[in-house]
Amino acid sequence: MEVEKVRCLIIGSGPAGYTAAIYAGRANLSPVLYEGLQPGGQLTTTTDIENFPGYPEGISGPQMMEDLRKQAERFGADIRFGIATKAHLKEGAHRITFDGKTEIEAATVIIATGATAKYLGLEDEKKYAGMGVSACATCDGFFYRKKVVAVVGGGDTACEEAIYLSGLASKVYLIVRKPFLRASKIMQERVMNSEKIEVLFETNATGLFGDNGVEGVNLVKRWGEADEERYSLPIDGFFLAIGHQPNSEIFKPYIDTDEVGYIITEGTSPRTKVPGVYAAGDVADPHYRQAITAAASGCKSAIEAERYLMEKGL
Ligand code: NDP
């Protein structure tokens, strides 16, 4: 099998990947970008992005990703579809396999594979997958018009999902394990001011039930305390919004990751310990995880790749 050789390979199509492609394209690196299972990344599952500078009225996630993609293409990025299934990182000739068959040899690699939604780990989440369990309100909320849903989590994502669902569903329970929300003040206020959202603090979901898809959730309030209370609520949809797992698995034998799997880079740079390999966006960012910070690290990665190629005369 002939192996295609490229100067700059970008894996991932969120704000980090597309921004890297825009910069690499403008630097004449002829970047090849692979989109994975969710072209556009997590932001395609977001409704409105209100905090990206330059959009005073906000912009929808899918629209922003479409615009970034077009901008990358305008500067010559070769955008393809494929899942990176294997990696062999070796300076000067990094090899990445896509879909188990297409092999690319790259002088520089920008890993922008993002992070994937986490689940609680309940057997019932698998049992009812696609039958009432979802980790994406904007993808699946439509099916719950005038129905009762529950969202698990107390961060910005959970609040955002609950607010989005409150525009469709008749009632939204927000299941929060702590006695407070971790979300930003503005999101907390929106949740608390919504008549349709009821926040269940200090509550954990332990299981789901139903004959034809989800019909209810089993809950425990103040789990393990003397006044622990177990009860169930009828619901039609169960949405997870409890954070994400970085998609770094295939790179772990070569580069450093923290205990969760976030790629560790050198200081504030996107450089990994393998020369010519950079990590951008959520796969390397346990702290900020914003579109703007992901885009910035994509930009830095492309600049690093350009300098590296120049120094090596590649
Ligand atoms: P976070 O990590 O901020 O929050 C995760 C939430 O899920 C926490 O409330 C956590 O509880 C809870 N949780 C985690 N594991 C479990 C579990 N096993 N059982 C029950 N609850 C659990 O993730 P987010 O996805 O909300 O946000 C990630 C980042 O993205 C943040 O920096 C956030 O600010 C940002 N973001 C910003 C948005 C915006 O600005 N518009 C929109 C969405 C996200 P606990 O608090 O107890 O740990």
Side-chain angles (χ1 to χ4, degrees), residues 238-274:
F238 185 72
F239 289 83
L240 284 313
I242 59 167
H244 292 84
Q245 179 68 37
N247 299 319
S248 60
E249 206 54 41
I250 61 168
F251 308 106
K252 281 184 180 170
Y254 307 96
I255 55 185
D256 293 333
T257 57
D258 70 8
E259 67 282 0
V260 179
Y262 287 99
I263 294 175
I264 296 172
T265 58
E266 273 175 32
T268 56
S269 87
R271 289 190 296 270
T272 68
K273 74 174 188 190
V274 182

Side-chain angles (χ1 to χ4, degrees), residues 51 120 153-157 160 177-178 182 242 288-290:
N51 49 11
L120 292 171
D156 277 319
T157 303
E160 198 178 73
R177 66 180 175 182
K178 291 223 172 101
R182 181 202 283 222
I242 59 167
Y288 304 106
R289 295 178 287 185
Q290 302 296 303

Side-chain angles (χ1 to χ4, degrees), residues 42-43 46 48-51 118-121 152-160 175-184 186-187 190 203-205 240-244 262 282 285-291:
Q42 287 175 56
L43 281 182
T46 299
D48 286 328
I49 302 170
E50 295 179 335
N51 49 11
K118 280 203 272 196
Y119 285 76
L120 292 171
V152 186
D156 277 319
T157 303
C159 291
E160 198 178 73
I175 303 171
V176 183
R177 66 180 175 182
K178 291 223 172 101
F180 55 85
L181 291 169
R182 181 202 283 222
S184 53
I186 185 167
M187 297 306 272
R190 285 184 195 170
T203 302
N204 281 275
L240 284 313
I242 59 167
H244 292 84
Y262 287 99
D282 283 14
D285 178 7
H287 301 294
Y288 304 106
R289 295 178 287 185
Q290 302 296 303

Side-chain angles (χ1 to χ4, degrees), residues 15-38:
Y18 286 142
T19 305
I22 293 166
Y23 274 77
R26 294 186 84 246
N28 274 340
L29 304 189
S30 310
V32 170
L33 180 148
Y34 271 84
E35 300 180 324
L37 276 181
Q38 195 179 49

